[in-house]
Amino acid sequence: MAEFVRVDSSTSGHTMDKSITLPPDEIFRNLENAKRFAIDIGGSLTKLAYYSTVQHKVAKVRSFDHTTKEATGDNLYEISVQEEVTARLHFIKFENAYIETCLDFVKDHLVNTETKVIKATGGGAHKFKELIERKLGLKVDKEDEMTCLIKGCNFVLRNIPHEAFVYAKHADSEFRFQTTQPDIFPYLLVNIGSGVSIVKVESEDKFERIGGSSIGGGTFWGLGALLTKTKRFDELLQLASKGQHTSVDMLVKDIYGGSYGSLGLTGDLIASSFGKSATADKEFSKEDMAKSLLHMISNDIGQLACLYAKLHNLSRVYFGGFFIRGHPVTMHTITYSINFFTKGEVQALFLRHEGYLGAIGAFLKGAEEDNPNQYSWGENYAGSSGLMSVSPDMNPMQRARSGTFDMLEMDRLEGKLVNLPLLQDASSYIPDTVDLTEDAHAREYWLYCFEEALDGVVKRAVASQPDMPEAAERAEKFRQKYRHKLQTLRHQPFAYGSLTVRSLLDTREHCLNEFNFPDPYSKIKQRENDMALKYYQKAVKCLDELSWEERQYALVRGVLAGNVFDWGAKAVSDVLESDPEFGFEQAKRQLEERPWLVDSYDQWFERLKGPPHKCAMFFVDNSGVDIILGVMPFVRELLSRGTEVVLASNSGPALNDVTNGELQILTESIAAMDPVIQAGLREDRLTLVQSGSSSPCLDLSRLDKVLAMVVRERKTDLVIIEGMGRAIHTNYYAMLRCESLKMAVIKNSWLADRLGGKLFSVVFNEWLIATLV
C-alpha cells in the first residue's frame, strides 16, 4: 500500500495531501518507460493499466579461455553484471476522486510513450473521456466491457497461481486457494455490478451472456440508502457486518416453531426476507436492516447462479464485480447460498484480482499485435500490494484505505510455462508441502526464520558487489522492503495467495532483484565450483575402484552429502562461514546412518539390477560440491548403464543453486576430464535444459515449454528431484506417471522434528511404477 495517503481521523473519510508528489518508485513505477495504456472506470474506482520496459541488472557467466592471457588465476569462468530490459505490466487501482491528480502525475512523468491511443472500458469511460484526452493527449478508444472482463479473467486464471479462492468464514484460514488448472474452461462468471450478468465462458474467445438480473449491487446500495440514510457503499457494508438479520428476517422456526423436517428446512433458514418488519411494532437498527438486505440480495444472486450452473452442467462459478470487493459477509452469504442450493456440487470461487479484470482485458485488446498470450507472466511480489484483510475488526481503517491505492505488477517470463507431462493428475497437483496460511505454528516459525536471516542476506548482497559504493544503500532499502513484506504476511498471510516457504523465498528474490542484487551468491558459487572441480577426477577414481554394489550406495551417499552444501540453510551456512575447510568427506560424516528417515534405498538397489531406464530427468540443486561431486558421478553411472540423462537447472539465480548458464560451463569442463560425460554430450545422450524457474523450490506445473517437449521426445521414465527446497518444501507428495526418486538432507532442525527426524536426516524416497498402479 502506498504510504502517501493521509488518513484524517476526525472525519469518516480520508484525504490525500495534494502537496506530496506521488513517488514513482511507490506507485506508477517505470512510468517513464510506459509503452501502452488502458483504463477501466467504474462508478467509484478507476483501474489504470500500462505496459513498460524495465531495465534491471542480471548476472551473467562467461567461460574463460585458458589458452589465452585473458584467464586470471584458477577461475573457470568470469561473472559480469549486465543491464537487461524486460517487460512488465502495471495495474493500479484508485478512487475516482483522485483521477485528476493521477492523470496529472501520469502526464508529467510520461516521456516516450509509443502509443497515441488509450483503450478504455467500464461505465465511467464515457464520462471521463474528455478529461483523459485533454490530460494525456491520447485518443480514447472504447472497448466492450464484457469482452474485456472475460479476457482479463482468462489471463489471471492462466498466469497467477492461487488467483482463485474459496471463502470459508469459520475455518482457521478464511481463504482456501485453488491450484492453477491446466484447462480453465468451461466456467461460469457471475459479474455483480449495479445489476448481475451471468456469462458462460467456453474458450479464450467464445463466451455467451446466458442470463442476469436487475437485482444486484445497485439494488443493495439504493435500498440500503433508503433504509439507513447511508450513502457510501463501504459504510453500508460496514453496517451489515455488525448487524443481526434475524431481528428483521422471518425464519422457518418463526412460522413452524422449529424446523420443517419433511422438506429438509432447518429452523434457522430464512423463510421471508424482511418478514418481521411487517408485523413487529418496533424500530429496526440500521445494522440489522443492512444485514438483512445483504442476505436477501446475496441469496438471490447465489440461487440464480446455481440454476444457471446446473442448467449448463458447470461446476466452477467465479464471482466478481463491485458488489464483492473482498467483503467477508458478501462472500460468506454467496458461498452459503451456493452450497445450500447445490448440496456442494457447485463451487463458489472468488478472485484475488477481480477488480482488475476489465483493465487487464482492455490492455490485452490493445496489445493483440504483440500476442501477450505467447508468454507466461508472473506476479511480482515486490511491486504488488496483495489482498488486504477483509476482517472489519482487524483494523477499522483498513477497509477505508483498501480502496484508495493498490497495485498489481506482472513480469513477462522468457517463454511459456507448462505442466510437467508426467504429472499423474495435473488438476490436483499441489507443489507445496505445507500451507502456512492454514498452519499458524509453522507460519510463525518460518516468518521468524526469514526475518532472522535478513541481516545475513543483506551482508551477502553487499559483498557480491564490492566495486559498487552505493550497494550498501540499496541493500538497506531491500532490508526495509522485505521486512515490510514479512510484517504484512504475519498479519495477512493470505495477501499473495497461499503462504508457503516457496512464496517467502520467491518474495525475497523479487525484492533483491528490485534493488539490483541479481545474484548475491555469485562469488561463493564461483569459488566453490572452482574448488570442487579440482577433486572431481579423484572422486570418480575412488568410485571406479569399488565393487558394483558398493558403488551404487556410495553414489547415493555422494548426492546426499553434496546436498548438505546449501547456503540457504542456516545450520549449514553457519558452518561454511566459520569453517571454510569443511568439505565433501566431512559432509558424508554428518549424514544420518541407515535406516534413514525415509529409506527406499533397498528398492532402488533392486531396481538397478533390472533393465536401464530409457531417460532420466534430473532436477538439480546447488552449485559446487553438490552438482560436481554429488550429481555428476551419479549421472555418469546412469549414462554408463545406457540411460539418457536430462539435467534441468534454474533459468535464473536463487541462493547458491546452480543456473543453466553455470551448468553449461561446468559440464564442458568435466567433459574435458571424463570420457563418459564427454561421450554423453557428443552423442546427445546428456542434455542440459533450463527449468523455467528462478526459485530454490520447484513448481512442476510451471516449467519451461522446451523442457516439457524434451520429456516427451526422450520418453522420460525416471524423474529425480534433489534438495530440500525441491523435494521437501515442494513435491514431497507429488505423484508422477513414471518412476521417481526424491533425495534430500534435512538441514533445518524444526523441519526435521516435524517429519519425525533430526538434523541431517535423509529422505530417499522412490516411487516405482507398481506403487502407482
Side-chain angles (χ1 to χ4, degrees):
M1 184 64 57
E3 292 302 319
F4 52 81
V5 177
R6 184 181 64 194
V7 177
D8 185 350
S9 58
S10 66
T11 67
S12 60
H14 53 270
T15 59
M16 185 167 70
D17 190 339
K18 301 293 177 61
S19 66
I20 300 175
T21 303
L22 308 187
D25 58 336
E26 290 294 330
I27 193 168
F28 299 115
R29 285 150 42 96
N30 308 299
L31 189 58
E32 67 278 6
N33 298 317
K35 308 295 181 188
R36 190 178 294 111
F37 286 89
I39 196 165
D40 176 14
I41 308 176
S44 64
L45 294 176
T46 295
K47 286 76 68 176
L48 182 68
Y50 62 95
Y51 160 90
S52 73
T53 52
V54 182
Q55 199 163 21
H56 61 101
K57 289 181 167 54
V58 293
K60 298 284 188 181
V61 294
R62 185 169 69 92
S63 181
F64 276 123
D65 181 357
H66 286 271
T67 63
T68 70
K69 294 180 180 179
E70 180 187 20
T72 57
D74 297 326
N75 289 343
L76 177 66
Y77 58 83
E78 67 171 332
I79 307 161
S80 63
V81 176
Q82 301 174 13
E83 293 288 341
E84 192 171 271
V85 176
T86 55
R88 178 172 291 171
L89 298 180
H90 305 258
F91 303 98
I92 301 162
K93 180 168 63 179
F94 52 87
E95 293 179 6
N96 287 354
Y98 301 111
I99 190 168
E100 196 157 348
T101 303
C102 290
L103 289 176
D104 281 337
F105 186 83
V106 171
K107 176 187 174 183
D108 292 343
H109 291 78
L110 206 55
V111 182
N112 294 314
T113 182
E114 296 175 354
T115 184
K116 299 300 179 187
V117 174
I118 180 169
K119 292 288 185 180
T121 190
H126 178 76
K127 177 182 177 182
F128 291 100
K129 179 178 184 291
E130 185 181 333
L131 178 68
I132 296 168
E133 291 185 336
R134 176 165 49 84
K135 292 283 187 184
L136 299 185
L138 302 175
K139 181 180 180 297
V140 172
D141 188 4
K142 189 101 163 51
E143 291 290 342
D144 177 68
E145 192 171 353
M146 195 57 64
T147 301
C148 291
L149 194 70
I150 301 303
K151 274 190 173 292
C153 191
N154 293 341
F155 187 81
V156 296
L157 288 175
R158 278 208 177 94
N159 288 284
I160 304 183
H162 299 159
E163 171 63 28
F165 62 89
V166 171
Y167 184 74
K169 181 180 178 181
H170 300 296
D172 291 338
S173 172
E174 296 171 300
F175 300 86
R176 294 282 188 273
F177 291 97
Q178 308 296 294
T179 55
T180 305
Q181 298 289 326
D183 186 4
I184 63 173
F185 305 111
Y187 65 84
L188 200 67
L189 178 64
V190 180
N191 192 57
I192 314 169
S194 299
V196 180
S197 285
I198 299 176
V199 186
K200 179 183 178 182
V201 185
E202 296 183 77
S203 68
E204 187 65 45
D205 298 307
K206 186 179 179 183
F207 63 89
E208 178 188 3
R209 185 183 188 277
I210 56 175
S213 173
S214 62
I215 301 173
T219 314
F220 172 68
W221 197 352
L223 284 177
L226 291 172
L227 289 167
T228 68
K229 308 306 180 187
T230 300
K231 295 295 185 180
R232 289 178 62 86
F233 191 86
D234 275 329
E235 287 179 17
L236 192 59
L237 287 173
Q238 190 71 11
L239 286 174
S241 69
K242 298 174 182 176
Q244 294 292 327
H245 77 97
T246 53
S247 301
V248 183
D249 292 340
M250 186 176 291
L251 309 182
V252 169
K253 65 183 178 184
D254 295 324
I255 300 174
Y256 298 103
S259 62
Y260 196 148
S262 62
L263 294 182
L265 303 177
T266 64
D268 291 329
L269 202 65
I270 298 173
S272 175
S273 295
F274 287 90
K276 288 179 181 175
S277 62
T279 56
D281 188 19
K282 67 172 184 175
E283 292 291 322
F284 296 97
S285 72
K286 292 180 179 181
E287 290 82 0
D288 293 348
M289 288 190 292
K291 185 65 168 285
S292 176
L293 181 61
L294 184 63
H295 271 287
M296 183 181 80
I297 302 295
S298 298
N299 279 326
D300 184 66
I301 294 170
Q303 184 171 22
L304 196 61
C306 288
L307 291 171
Y308 278 104
K310 298 289 280 184
L311 183 64
H312 293 269
N313 197 29
L314 298 171
S315 60
R316 281 178 290 182
V317 182
Y318 296 102
F319 289 87
F322 179 81
F323 183 65
I324 303 294
R325 299 188 70 181
H327 197 276
V329 179
T330 311
M331 293 190 296
H332 171 67
T333 309
I334 287 176
T335 300
Y336 179 86
S337 177
I338 291 284
N339 289 338
F340 177 81
F341 288 118
T342 70
K343 296 181 172 56
E345 293 178 8
V346 173
Q347 200 169 38
L349 294 159
F350 305 93
L351 301 170
R352 281 203 294 136
H353 300 105
E354 62 91 10
Y356 291 114
L357 301 187
I360 293 171
F363 172 82
L364 294 172
K365 286 288 287 183
E368 287 173 338
E369 64 271 20
D370 295 338
N371 190 11
N373 284 320
Q374 70 182 318
Y375 301 97
S376 286
W377 300 76
E379 183 174 2
N380 183 333
Y381 297 134
S384 290
S385 301
L387 191 65
M388 299 299 290
S389 171
V390 298
S391 172
D393 302 320
M394 185 173 288
N395 186 339
M397 292 308 301
Q398 197 138 40
R399 289 301 306 173
R401 294 191 61 184
S402 67
T404 305
F405 284 93
D406 68 26
M407 293 154 282
L408 164 65
E409 288 187 358
M410 299 182 71
D411 289 333
R412 192 180 78 185
L413 307 178
E414 287 186 20
K416 196 79 172 170
L417 299 183
V418 298
N419 285 302
L420 178 70
L422 296 170
L423 282 173
Q424 190 180 56
D425 181 9
S427 63
S428 63
Y429 167 71
I430 299 173
D432 302 289
T433 305
V434 178
D435 186 346
L436 304 181
T437 321
E438 301 178 13
D439 191 328
H441 179 59
R443 176 170 72 246
E444 190 52 43
Y445 172 78
W446 285 110
L447 286 170
Y448 168 77
C449 276
F450 278 88
E451 198 156 11
E452 188 184 34
L454 195 47
D455 287 344
V457 177
V458 169
K459 177 184 172 185
R460 190 65 52 206
V462 175
S464 71
Q465 298 179 0
D467 301 326
M468 297 184 182
E470 83 291 351
E473 182 183 347
R474 282 187 284 113
E476 186 56 35
K477 288 181 178 178
F478 154 74
R479 182 208 303 273
Q480 293 171 8
K481 181 94 170 187
Y482 188 57
R483 178 171 286 151
H484 175 71
K485 292 287 181 184
L486 292 176
Q487 290 168 351
T488 298
L489 291 166
R490 181 167 272 113
H491 298 292
Q492 297 158 212
F494 48 78
Y496 299 99
S498 290
L499 181 63
T500 62
V501 173
R502 174 169 63 102
S503 68
L504 287 169
L505 286 164
D506 290 350
T507 303
R508 188 169 70 185
E509 293 299 323
H510 291 184
C511 290
L512 282 166
N513 278 306
E514 178 174 345
F515 294 102
N516 281 322
F517 293 107
D519 194 355
Y521 290 84
S522 57
K523 302 278 197 246
I524 290 175
K525 290 189 290 181
Q526 183 187 42
R527 183 178 71 243
E528 293 186 347
N529 284 332
D530 290 335
M531 186 66 70
L533 281 169
K534 295 175 182 176
Y535 294 97
Y536 178 79
Q537 287 177 298
K538 180 182 177 182
V540 168
K541 184 174 183 294
C542 290
L543 288 166
D544 286 344
E545 290 172 354
L546 299 174
S547 67
W548 182 83
E549 181 173 339
E550 292 173 324
R551 187 166 70 251
Q552 304 317 308
Y553 182 57
L555 285 165
V556 168
R557 287 192 78 239
V559 173
L560 294 168
N563 193 244
V564 169
F565 291 81
D566 184 352
W567 281 84
K570 190 175 186 301
V572 175
S573 62
D574 287 347
V575 171
L576 296 176
E577 288 272 19
S578 60
D579 182 9
E581 300 303 315
F582 183 85
F584 194 37
E585 295 306 316
Q586 290 95 320
K588 289 179 183 176
R589 290 194 288 272
Q590 292 281 357
L591 293 179
E592 172 188 37
E593 293 295 327
R594 289 192 69 199
W596 295 323
L597 179 62
V598 178
D599 195 336
S600 301
Y601 177 76
D602 291 339
Q603 294 96 303
W604 171 248
F605 180 72
E606 289 302 314
R607 174 63 185 84
L608 290 175
K609 294 177 182 178
H613 296 90
K614 172 74 174 66
C615 177
M617 169 74 71
F618 201 134
F619 289 97
V620 298
D621 194 7
N622 305 308
S623 292
V625 171
D626 190 350
I627 186 68
I628 295 168
L629 301 183
V631 171
M632 279 303 187
F634 194 93
V635 168
R636 184 178 186 270
E637 185 77 9
L638 289 173
L639 290 169
S640 299
R641 281 173 54 81
T643 299
E644 294 178 9
V645 179
V646 178
L647 293 180
S649 54
N650 269 11
S651 301
L655 295 174
N656 65 315
D657 292 1
V658 65
T659 64
N660 186 254
E662 292 159 351
L663 188 55
Q664 297 279 354
I665 295 171
L666 295 177
T667 306
E668 289 171 7
S669 182
I670 291 171
M673 299 185 274
D674 188 336
V676 177
I677 299 296
Q678 187 177 66
L681 289 174
R682 186 179 62 248
E683 297 163 8
D684 197 28
R685 294 189 301 111
L686 175 59
T687 307
L688 277 57
V689 297
Q690 59 180 352
S691 65
S693 170
S694 298
S695 170
C697 297
L698 183 65
D699 183 351
L700 297 177
S701 69
R702 286 174 69 83
L703 296 176
D704 192 275
K705 192 174 182 179
V706 173
L707 182 148
M709 183 178 68
V710 170
V711 165
R712 291 190 185 92
E713 289 178 349
R714 299 294 174 102
K715 295 182 171 56
T716 300
D717 55 354
L718 172 65
V719 172
I720 304 171
I721 305 176
E722 180 214 5
M724 199 165 77
R726 290 166 178 78
I728 305 296
H729 291 312
T730 53
N731 300 302
Y732 191 69
Y733 300 114
M735 304 281 284
L736 304 178
R737 290 189 287 105
C738 69
E739 293 179 40
S740 65
L741 194 56
K742 299 169 190 174
M743 293 187 277
V745 176
I746 310 298
K747 291 150 291 194
N748 176 283
S749 55
W750 181 90
L751 180 61
D753 183 64
R754 264 268 173 133
L755 294 173
K758 57 186 178 181
L759 199 62
F760 299 114
S761 287
V762 168
V763 169
F764 186 89
N765 192 10
E766 187 198 16
W767 286 81
L768 297 171
I769 291 291
T771 311
L772 304 177
V773 175

